[in-house]
Amino acid sequence: MTRLGVRVEDCSHMTLDELTSTAYSGYDGKSMFFGVTAVGDWVLIVEANGRLGVTDEIIVPLSAGTRLVSHFYLDIKCMDYFHWIEDGKIRFEFQHQDGYSHWIKDGKIQREFPHWEGYSEEMPDELAETMERIDSVYPPHTDPNEGPAFLLAERLTGITMTPQLLEEATYLCGAVPDPR
């Protein structure tokens, strides 16, 4: 919270249902509401109605001195974003829209759709094996939020995302101004 400029004393503890309800009922278009919880040595940020995890002006500085892994899924537009940032340096990112948008061949990303400016073209060695496993298990045009992007996040964090993990956590919740 403090790294995002939020005063902890202004925050509230909530369940996932409360966080989600507040995010939708209190949305004002001027701020991004989110919750944080500790998972092992990591901090998990959950945001139900916003774009905190894909706003470069926020996540790149937030990664200072650490690793940041972000998986963002926008259900209404069927879009996924994945970011891996190390100490302010983007290691890998992609956007998925309307079907699983790429596969791996000879350790390089092969795109179904044209390359998006600013998104990674080279597959980091640390993710190549995971991407090849994803490509062998999931058929083309699988939504990444159904498994593939979470496998990338699991590979980089060692944390397996489960509904139970999300539902049983207590979140410290607050808001940051929307930079746009």
Side-chain angles (χ1 to χ4, degrees), residues 82 84 92-94 96 100-105 107-111 120 122-138 144 147-153 155-156:
F82 183 86
W84 169 22
F92 181 66
E93 57 186 354
F94 72 81
H96 156 86
Y100 198 41
S101 61
H102 60 277
W103 66 95
I104 304 302
K105 181 177 179 184
K108 299 215 184 280
I109 297 175
Q110 309 298 312
R111 297 193 179 278
S120 303
E122 295 296 319
M123 172 61 59
D125 292 340
E126 297 91 336
L127 295 179
E129 182 180 319
T130 302
M131 286 297 290
E132 288 172 358
R133 189 175 98 209
I134 288 169
D135 291 341
S136 70
V137 173
Y138 292 93
F150 285 128
L151 290 174
L152 292 175
R155 167 64 180 88
L156 293 169

Side-chain angles (χ1 to χ4, degrees), residues 63-125:
S63 73
T66 191
R67 173 179 285 178
L68 182 140
V69 178
S70 170
H71 173 208
F72 175 87
Y73 177 66
L74 183 58
D75 191 32
I76 59 171
K77 292 186 178 179
C78 195
M79 295 175 70
D80 274 275
Y81 297 86
F82 183 86
H83 293 82
W84 169 22
I85 307 171
E86 295 274 350
D87 194 16
K89 181 177 184 263
I90 297 171
R91 291 288 315 275
F92 181 66
E93 57 186 354
F94 72 81
Q95 175 182 351
H96 156 86
Q97 186 172 2
D98 299 327
Y100 198 41
S101 61
H102 60 277
W103 66 95
I104 304 302
K105 181 177 179 184
D106 300 326
K108 299 215 184 280
I109 297 175
Q110 309 298 312
R111 297 193 179 278
E112 177 112 6
F113 306 109
H115 177 68
W116 289 79
E117 184 178 336
Y119 285 81
S120 303
E121 292 191 56
E122 295 296 319
M123 172 61 59
D125 292 340

